[in-house]
Amino acid sequence: MIIKPSREKRILYIKTALRWLFYYVLIYAEFIFMTSGTLLKPIILIPTALYIAVRNDISASAVTGAICGFLIDVSCGKLFGYNAVLLTVSCIIVSLIFEFYLRDKFVSFIFISAVVSYIQCWLDYKFYYEIWNYENHEMIFTDYTLKIWAYTVISSVFVCLLLRLINHFLMPKTHFTIEETIKAEQH
């Protein structure tokens, strides 16, 4: 005799699969956007990976951070694995911060996205320009690095809204038991 999962569980599986499909279609579209055009464009995969880390567990955050980091390395022509390590560690830290300390609020996500984007852009500048003592490397920081950071922070607003829309329809709703509800109301 074959035991079938309940209807609710099948819907949960379908919604989860669709949600991850939409996540990775969006990541692929952002990768295409990052590989086309001029040099001055946002590193839009950073806020996407961070928002996915906000709403999911640590392992899914780490995998998504690594994939987005590798795609950033390919699209920006950087050392393969450099951004993958940075973004994986950032996604794990952000996942833990939002799990234990912060709530999923728009302002807190934009702040975290701005901080992580700045760290990534600053390290990129340090390791690729300042260490090698390029001529007028300060100009590179003000004319390119800070503009890319600002574009990334601005784009994180739109990424957050789009991913919230996906999560609104496809994120499983949490069901509480009576004991959990009573315990939550007492605190």
Side-chain angles (χ1 to χ4, degrees):
M1 178 162 117
I2 299 174
I3 299 174
K4 292 183 179 180
S6 67
R7 181 177 183 273
E8 192 172 308
K9 238 182 193 174
R10 283 192 306 254
I11 291 173
L12 175 70
Y13 293 151
I14 291 169
K15 280 186 171 185
T16 302
L18 279 174
R19 179 170 45 102
W20 283 100
L21 177 74
F22 283 139
Y23 284 166
Y24 281 101
V25 165
L26 179 66
I27 287 171
Y28 181 68
E30 290 171 351
F31 172 69
I32 291 172
F33 169 74
M34 285 183 61
T35 56
S36 62
T38 64
L39 252 170
L40 286 175
K41 57 185 165 267
I43 306 171
I44 200 165
L45 288 169
I46 293 174
T48 302
L50 292 176
Y51 193 80
I52 291 172
V54 167
R55 296 298 302 237
N56 293 292
D57 62 341
I58 294 173
S59 59
S61 303
V63 169
T64 303
I67 290 171
C68 288
F70 284 129
L71 292 176
I72 291 171
D73 291 333
V74 169
S75 67
C76 294
K78 302 295 181 190
L79 179 66
F80 195 69
Y82 168 72
N83 284 304
V85 170
L86 289 175
L87 204 52
T88 301
V89 170
S90 299
C91 284
I92 290 171
I93 291 170
V94 165
S95 180
L96 289 173
I97 286 173
F98 274 88
E99 184 177 338
F100 292 118
Y101 297 113
L102 294 177
R103 291 188 176 168
D104 181 17
K105 299 291 182 190
F106 183 75
V107 174
S108 58
F109 170 72
I110 298 299
F111 176 74
I112 292 289
S113 177
V115 168
V116 171
S117 298
Y118 184 79
I119 290 170
Q120 191 276 338
C121 287
W122 182 77
L123 287 174
D124 189 48
Y125 165 73
K126 287 287 185 190
F127 287 134
Y128 284 96
Y129 299 106
E130 190 177 27
I131 280 182
W132 303 107
N133 203 14
Y134 276 86
E135 185 177 332
N136 297 327
H137 61 83
E138 300 89 9
M139 240 169 80
I140 293 172
F141 186 72
T142 57
D143 289 347
Y144 293 104
T145 305
L146 287 180
K147 285 181 183 177
I148 290 171
W149 172 73
Y151 293 154
T152 303
V153 172
I154 292 168
S155 69
S156 67
V157 172
F158 301 107
V159 167
C160 180
L161 294 175
L162 183 62
L163 288 172
R164 276 181 185 250
L165 182 68
I166 291 171
N167 287 338
H168 176 72
F169 290 110
L170 298 174
M171 184 65 85
K173 308 290 187 260
T174 55
H175 299 287
F176 295 107
T177 63
I178 293 173
E179 292 84 16
E180 292 171 340
T181 306
I182 293 171
K183 187 187 283 186
E185 287 180 5
Q186 289 176 351
H187 294 292

